[in-house]
Amino acid sequence: TKAEALVEGDVMSFQGTNIPVTVDGAKKMVDGAEVTEADVMATNGVLHVINQVMLPPSLADMLADDPDFGIFVEALEAAQLTATFGWANKGGAMHTVFAPMNGAFDNLIAGDSSIADKEALLALDGLADILKYHVVSGKVMAAGLTDGEVDTLHSTAKLTVTDAGSAPKINGNAVATADMPAGNGVIHKIGAVLMPPASSSPTMNLIELAADKSLANLATALETAELKTTLEGAEKYTVFGPTDAAFAAAVTALGEADLTAVLARADLAEILKYHVVEGETKAEALVAGDVMSFQGTNIPVTVDGAKKMVDGAEVTEADVMATN
């Protein structure tokens, strides 16, 4: 598209959203950026030099611009989640939002005697968890949905996808409008507010949970290093638990002959404390930067979309809750 063909209006980007074009005499503007040098020809197209980086509409922008999402937008603001869907979210995370339309919230209020009106809805203690239940990490277009359960930003609750190959349903509710692309994800309109199932409270402490999750080497190591009492008490901790395969790899990395030799090391407790953080830190709160370990040194955290890395180790299963 040469400059002379750039006229007032919109032009569809390769990303999938429209670029607004404005014209002021000889000046051409694309999404507010001025074309400073036009029609630089290449063998396979044309380049227009502009004076700033353009950002496509974010999820927050798209939601705010659609009148169908008025109450959803108010709810995100009330739950302090709006920034999650803007361009300022750390790590450039992509999200898929199953966004309820206004009528869905009206139906929820009308059908739930405990929610008197919209103001009561926006004041719900569990509002953030309800909204997170509508969000999946990553950008999943309708064609990419598969039947089965899918993790959400909610700490425990999963969505169920059915009829993925034809007319997808989320928890039995049809997708009204699919594939509304944004720069940092995609929106699918739905006609119902999805309520996460009541989750049962955890019954096992961190030591018991390690054994239950088949992290036998971790459980043995913690007991050997005399950390068992600490991690089965009332104080809250976050543990990055290495799998048994990870312990096997550590044997070589530490220059030992076998796991028994690793468990006999004088610095075992220090190594294990480096896997523990004081307090309860869920995956959503792990952002790029550092987090202080129980051992006293910082654990570097990196984020690549939905992938979380701690000191180079990938979190393969997040938010397995324990009593402590």
Side-chain angles (χ1 to χ4, degrees):
T1 304
K2 291 187 177 180
E4 63 182 7
L6 287 173
V7 295
E8 197 87 14
D10 292 322
V11 61
M12 178 62 69
S13 74
F14 191 47
Q15 181 269 331
T17 54
N18 283 318
I19 303 171
V21 178
T22 55
V23 179
D24 181 10
K27 183 189 292 185
K28 308 272 182 151
M29 306 283 288
V30 283
D31 198 22
E34 183 179 353
V35 177
T36 57
E37 185 178 357
D39 297 341
V40 183
M41 303 306 296
T43 56
N44 59 339
V46 61
L47 169 70
H48 304 301
V49 180
I50 58 176
N51 63 355
Q52 66 185 52
V53 174
M54 300 186 298
L55 293 176
S58 68
L59 288 165
D61 296 329
M62 296 284 290
L63 291 167
D65 287 345
D66 192 323
D68 282 346
F69 297 135
I71 299 177
F72 187 53
V73 169
E74 288 186 66
L76 291 173
E77 291 173 352
Q80 300 183 359
L81 291 173
T82 304
T84 302
F85 306 110
W87 280 115
N89 73 76
K90 293 186 177 180
M94 303 276 276
H95 295 105
T96 299
V97 182
F98 297 99
M101 295 178 285
N102 294 330
F105 286 100
D106 292 336
N107 291 338
L108 175 65
I109 293 168
D112 191 332
S113 59
S114 67
I115 307 174
D117 49 28
K118 186 177 75 172
E119 286 64 37
L121 169 75
L122 299 180
L124 284 175
D125 286 341
L127 181 61
D129 281 338
I130 293 172
L131 299 176
K132 289 175 185 177
Y133 186 52
H134 293 75
V135 184
V136 172
S137 293
K139 183 175 182 177
V140 185
M141 306 299 281
L145 293 170
T146 57
D147 286 350
E149 291 188 330
V150 59
D151 289 328
T152 68
L153 294 195
H154 188 284
S155 61
T156 57
K158 300 173 185 278
L159 294 174
T160 300
V161 179
T162 54
D163 298 335
S166 52
K169 295 182 178 66
I170 310 301
N171 288 8
N173 300 282
V175 174
T177 303
D179 296 344
M180 300 172 63
N184 56 349
V186 64
I187 299 166
H188 305 295
K189 281 187 182 183
I190 57 174
V193 177
L194 310 174
M195 302 299 287
S199 58
S200 57
S201 299
T203 58
M204 292 181 285
N205 62 46
L206 286 164
I207 296 296
E208 294 166 334
L209 191 61
D212 185 70
K213 293 296 293 182
S214 299
L215 302 178
N217 290 341
L218 173 63
T220 300
L222 290 169
E223 185 166 6
T224 302
E226 299 182 354
L227 293 173
K228 181 174 180 287
T229 301
T230 300
L231 295 179
E232 64 184 7
E235 295 295 322
K236 296 282 189 181
Y237 293 96
T238 298
V239 177
F240 299 106
T243 62
D244 285 354
F247 268 95
V251 171
T252 302
L254 292 171
E256 301 293 352
D258 51 32
L259 184 60
T260 301
V262 171
L263 297 179
R265 288 175 66 102
D267 58 1
L268 177 65
E270 294 298 300
I271 294 171
L272 295 174
K273 287 178 182 178
Y274 186 58
H275 293 74
V276 180
V277 173
E278 292 185 88
E280 183 180 285
T281 305
K282 292 186 178 180
E284 66 183 6
L286 285 174
V287 296
D290 292 322
V291 61
M292 179 60 70
S293 74
F294 190 46
Q295 183 265 337
T297 53
N298 282 320
I299 304 171
V301 178
T302 56
V303 179
D304 180 10
K307 182 188 293 186
K308 308 274 180 140
M309 307 281 287
V310 284
D311 198 21
E314 182 179 354
V315 177
T316 55
E317 184 177 358
D319 296 341
V320 184
M321 302 306 294
T323 55
N324 60 339

